[in-house]
């Protein structure tokens, strides 16, 4: 199972914040983390430079891929920060490990091979994250309406995966199947999006296929063991809030034009719920 410090580094990589442990109350819940990951990519797509988030204030949307910023401070306990100069520029987030993680539901898929086996969640195919290790998030009994969304029956929500780079910047392409390499189809899709704003692909993207999510995921070099890891969020998506794109391996939660920040955040929160932090060595 993932080392605790390694999990904090992974959360830092996803959120772009310095995530540290605390013995006090957590500043953010697992739901807040999926909100931040989704909203950061959406607002970058919209051309914004910052995101305002409750309890954290202003978060930068600047892409820092070229900087080695995706490791949390060394110490797990509260105390003086050991972060470098670049890390000190990022927002620090403190979480209570017992409140945030749920080790009882950790699962090691590293050596699992499903082959032709079929799995369902909400009567829809579930592609298990074979090759990855899951640190379970504490989300049981955290939502109104009970935990059916998290189950395996027909009332469960389907599984989706989200990496921090799934920013929807290719919204028209993803939603309509066109690409710059197939210019007529791409231009036709672009023209259609101007006529009908509802099909612009404006919103938050995720995928039911872990292999697709891996292509878009964040990577970070761990200070725990010096290895480089990939990190992805494992979520459940509200089938009533999801739009299936022309590409079957992409799903969209549409954000209406002129939505306020509060409404945008509420749309994400009603649509996507996290339950696992997935890690894989490169």
């Amino acid at each position: 199972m993932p080392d605790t410090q390694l999990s904090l580094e992974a959360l830092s990589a996803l959120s772009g914040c310095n995530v540290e442990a605390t013995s006090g109350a957590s500043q953010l819940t697992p739901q807040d983390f999926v909100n931040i990951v989704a909203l950061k990519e959406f607002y970058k797509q919209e051309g914004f430079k910052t995101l305002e988030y409750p309890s954290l204030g202003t978060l930068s949307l600047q892409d820092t891929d070229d900087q080695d910023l995706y490791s949390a401070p060394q110490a797990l306990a509260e105390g003086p920060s050991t972060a470098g100069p670049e890390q000190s520029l990022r927002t620090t987030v403190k979480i209570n490990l017992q409140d945030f993680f749920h080790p009882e539901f950790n699962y090691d898929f590293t050596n699992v091979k499903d082959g032709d086996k079929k799995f369902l969640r909400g009567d829809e195919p579930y592609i298990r994250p074979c090759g990855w290790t899951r640190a379970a998030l504490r989300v049981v009994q955290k939502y109104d309406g009970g935990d059916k969304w998290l189950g395996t029956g027909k009332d469960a929500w389907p599984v989706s995966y989200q990496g921090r780079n799934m920013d929807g910047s290719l919204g028209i392409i993803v939603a309509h199947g066109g690409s710059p390499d197939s210019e007529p189809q791409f231009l036709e899709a672009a023209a259609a999006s101007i006529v009908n704003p509802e099909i612009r692909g404006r919103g938050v993207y995720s995928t039911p296929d872990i292999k697709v999510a891996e292509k878009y995921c964040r990577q970070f070099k761990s200070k725990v063991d010096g290895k480089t890891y990939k990190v992805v969020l494992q979520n459940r998506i509200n089938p009533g809030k999801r739009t299936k794109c022309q590409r079957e391996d992409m799903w969209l939660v549409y954000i209406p034009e002129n939505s306020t920040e509060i409404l945008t955040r509420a749309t994400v929160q009603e649509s996507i719920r996290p339950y696992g932090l997935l890690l894989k060595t490169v």
Side-chain angles (χ1 to χ4, degrees), residues 38-53:
L39 291 172
K40 274 195 164 188
E41 301 309 325
F42 170 68
Y43 280 116
K44 278 200 301 184
Q45 173 191 348
E46 293 295 292
F48 291 90
K49 302 297 183 183
T50 59
L51 165 69
E52 295 293 329
Y53 198 83

Side-chain angles (χ1 to χ4, degrees), residues 73-237:
Q74 292 286 335
L76 280 176
E78 294 176 90
S81 174
T82 58
E86 293 90 354
Q87 286 182 321
S88 64
L89 299 176
R90 298 189 296 165
T91 301
T92 295
V93 177
K94 294 184 179 293
I95 62 169
N96 185 301
L97 300 176
Q98 291 184 336
D99 290 342
F100 196 89
F101 292 105
H102 205 164
E104 178 184 348
F105 297 102
N106 288 353
Y107 201 94
D108 189 354
F109 291 95
T110 304
N111 298 311
V112 174
K113 296 181 180 180
D114 285 337
D116 295 330
K117 293 180 182 178
K118 305 294 183 182
F119 299 89
L120 297 176
R121 296 293 184 270
D123 285 342
E124 294 195 26
Y126 166 36
I127 301 174
R128 301 204 301 175
C130 298
W132 297 72
T133 300
R134 181 174 68 206
L137 306 179
R138 193 170 292 277
V139 293
V140 174
Q141 298 182 352
K142 297 293 185 181
Y143 296 91
D144 293 338
D147 295 324
K148 289 184 179 180
W149 67 275
L150 194 56
T152 60
K154 63 179 182 179
D155 294 327
W157 290 7
V159 175
S160 75
Y161 300 99
Q162 188 170 31
R164 191 179 162 204
N165 281 333
M166 300 187 73
D167 61 4
S169 60
L170 301 181
I172 296 172
I173 300 171
V174 170
H176 301 283
S179 72
D181 295 331
S182 55
E183 186 174 347
Q185 188 179 9
F186 176 70
L187 293 177
E188 182 180 350
S193 73
I194 294 173
V195 175
N196 184 4
E198 294 297 321
I199 61 172
R200 284 184 185 173
R202 183 182 189 270
V204 174
Y205 288 86
S206 62
T207 175
D209 191 338
I210 183 62
K211 292 182 179 178
V212 174
E214 186 172 357
K215 295 178 181 178
Y216 291 91
C217 74
R218 274 297 199 238
Q219 297 186 19
F220 66 96
K221 186 174 182 179
S222 174
K223 292 183 178 179
V224 174
D225 55 16
K227 297 179 181 178
T228 299
Y229 288 86
K230 298 177 179 180
V231 56
V232 167
L233 281 172
Q234 187 175 27
N235 308 318
R236 297 295 185 98
I237 190 166

